[in-house]
C-alpha cells in the first residue's frame, strides 16, 4: 500500500497577548531606569573620589581669603593656587553640603596632603595658618620681640613700644612700669599676620590663666592680690640684671 504525502499547513503566528506586550514594555523601561541610576551612582562616586583626592602640589601654599568673599570668588582663588580643579564643582559641593554661608576669611596654609573636602572644612572652621612659638623661661621682652620677628615678622620696635605703652597697660588692667613680667613663658600658636599688640594681649591673658588657685591662695596668705603679685613680678623682671634675680 502506497503512502500518501500530505502537504504541511504552515502555522499561523500567534498574537502576543496584551499582558506579554506590557511586560516587555516594562522590562525595557526598567532596564533604562536601572541603567540611568547606575550612571548617576557611578558619576557620584567619581565626583566623590575626585573631591576626596589630595591635590598635586609641589609645596605648601599660603592663601588669602578676603573678608566678604562669595563662594564663587573663593573657588576661583583656590583654583589659582592649585587647590581646586573645577571651581563650579567646588561651588556645587559647597551648596550640597550647605556650607555656602560658613566659609571664613583669613590666611590659610595648605599642602599636598589636602583634598578639596579638607580645604572646605578648613575654611568652615577657620583653621587659619599659624606658627608655634615657644617663649623660654626667663626671656626678656626684647628677646621675645626677636623671636616674634623671626617667626611671624612682627616689628620688634613696635612690640617694645607697646610693652611700655601706658594706654595698653591700662586697657589690660596692669599697674606696673611695663608689661615685662606679664609676658608668660609658654608655647603659643599665633596665626599668620599676628600683630605685636595681639601677641602681647595673648601672653598677658595666659599669665592670668596660669595663675591658678594655689598661687591665688599663696597671694592671699601674704596679703596680696593677684594683680599686686603680677605687678611685683613685672617690676622685678624689668629690673633684674641676672637670671638668678628673676622670680
Amino acid at each position: 500500500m502506497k503512502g500518501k504525502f500530505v502537504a504541511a499547513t504552515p502555522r499561523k503566528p500567534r498574537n502576543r497577548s496584551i499582558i506579554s506586550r506590557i511586560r516587555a514594555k516594562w522590562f525595557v523601561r526598567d532596564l533604562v531606569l536601572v541603567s540611568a541610576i547606575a550612571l548617576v551612582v557611578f558619576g557620584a562616586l567619581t565626583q566623590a573620589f575626585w573631591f576626596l583626592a589630595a591635590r598635586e602640589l609641589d609645596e605648601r601654599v599660603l592663601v588669602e581669603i578676603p573678608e566678604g568673599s562669595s563662594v564663587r570668588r573663593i573657588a576661583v582663588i583656590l583654583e589659582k593656587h592649585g587647590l581646586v580643579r573645577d571651581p563650579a564643582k567646588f561651588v556645587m559641593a559647597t551648596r550640597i553640603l550647605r556650607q555656602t554661608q560658613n566659609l571664613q576669611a583669613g590666611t590659610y596654609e595648605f599642602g599636598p596632603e589636602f583634598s578639596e573636602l579638607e580645604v572646605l572644612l578648613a575654611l568652615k572652621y577657620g583653621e587659619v595658618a599659624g606658627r608655634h612659638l615657644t617663649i623660654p623661661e626667663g626671656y626678656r621682652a626684647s628677646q621675645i620681640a626677636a623671636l616674634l620677628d623671626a617667626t611671624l615678622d612682627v616689628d620688634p620696635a613696635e612690640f617694645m613700644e607697646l610693652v611700655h605703652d601706658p594706654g595698653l597697660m591700662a586697657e589690660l588692667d596692669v599697674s606696673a612700669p611695663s608689661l615685662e613680667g606679664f609676658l608668660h613663658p609658654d608655647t603659643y600658636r599665633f596665626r599668620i599676620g599676628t600683630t605685636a599688640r595681639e601677641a602681647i594681649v595673648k601672653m598677658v591673658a595666659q599669665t592670668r590663666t596660669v595663675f591658678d588657685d594655689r598661687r591665688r591662695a599663696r597671694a592671699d596668705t601674704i596679703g596680696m592680690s593677684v594683680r599686686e603679685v603680677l605687678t611685683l613680678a613685672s617690676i622685678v623682671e624689668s629690673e633684674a640684671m641676672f637670671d638668678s634675680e628673676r622670680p
Side-chain angles (χ1 to χ4, degrees), residues 22-158:
I22 291 175
R23 285 177 177 173
K25 186 177 180 180
W26 282 357
F27 174 78
V28 173
R29 186 199 64 180
D30 291 346
L31 182 61
V32 172
L33 181 61
V34 170
S35 300
I37 293 175
L39 287 174
V40 170
V41 171
F42 176 77
L45 290 175
T46 301
Q47 294 303 315
F49 176 79
W50 158 81
F51 199 59
L52 293 172
R55 299 283 72 87
E56 297 178 358
L57 299 176
D58 295 329
E59 57 185 3
R60 302 184 71 82
V61 294
L62 287 176
V63 181
E64 180 69 30
I65 304 298
E67 195 74 37
S69 298
S70 66
V71 177
R72 291 182 183 275
R73 185 182 179 189
I74 291 174
V76 171
I77 292 173
L78 295 174
E79 181 194 26
K80 288 180 179 179
H81 287 84
L83 295 163
V84 165
R85 295 176 182 173
D86 188 333
K89 290 180 179 179
F90 183 84
V91 172
M92 182 186 300
T94 304
R95 289 175 177 170
I96 292 174
L97 296 174
R98 298 182 179 181
Q99 300 299 325
T100 55
Q101 303 300 320
N102 298 329
L103 305 187
Q104 302 182 44
T107 302
Y108 294 84
E109 185 175 22
F110 300 110
E113 72 278 8
F114 276 81
S115 66
E116 294 196 21
L117 177 60
E118 289 171 319
V119 170
L120 175 60
L121 293 177
L123 295 175
K124 174 186 176 181
Y125 293 111
E127 297 174 355
V128 294
R131 295 288 183 270
H132 286 90
L133 177 64
T134 298
I135 308 296
E137 191 80 33
Y139 257 41
R140 299 181 66 87
S142 59
Q143 293 172 297
I144 296 174
L147 281 179
L148 289 168
D149 179 27
T151 307
L152 296 165
D153 200 26
V154 171
D155 185 358
E158 181 186 1

Side-chain angles (χ1 to χ4, degrees), residues 160-172:
M160 293 303 299
E161 182 180 343
L162 288 170
V163 167
H164 295 87
D165 181 17
L168 181 56
M169 285 187 277
E171 181 182 325
L172 297 175

Side-chain angles (χ1 to χ4, degrees), residues 138-142 160 163-164 169 176-183 230-242 245-247:
Y139 257 41
R140 299 181 66 87
S142 59
M160 293 303 299
V163 167
H164 295 87
M169 285 187 277
S178 73
L179 293 169
E180 184 94 38
F182 287 78
L183 306 177
L230 292 175
T231 299
L232 179 61
S234 177
I235 294 173
V236 174
E237 184 75 27
S238 61
E239 295 181 352
M241 297 294 295
F242 305 101
E245 296 176 346
R246 294 191 172 93

Side-chain angles (χ1 to χ4, degrees), residues 159 168 171-172 179 182-183 188 190 195-208:
F159 182 87
L168 181 56
E171 181 182 325
L172 297 175
L179 293 169
F182 287 78
L183 306 177
Y188 297 89
F190 294 106
T195 64
R197 183 186 184 88
E198 290 170 339
I200 290 172
V201 169
K202 188 168 188 174
M203 286 186 276
V204 172
Q206 182 65 5
T207 297
R208 290 198 167 99

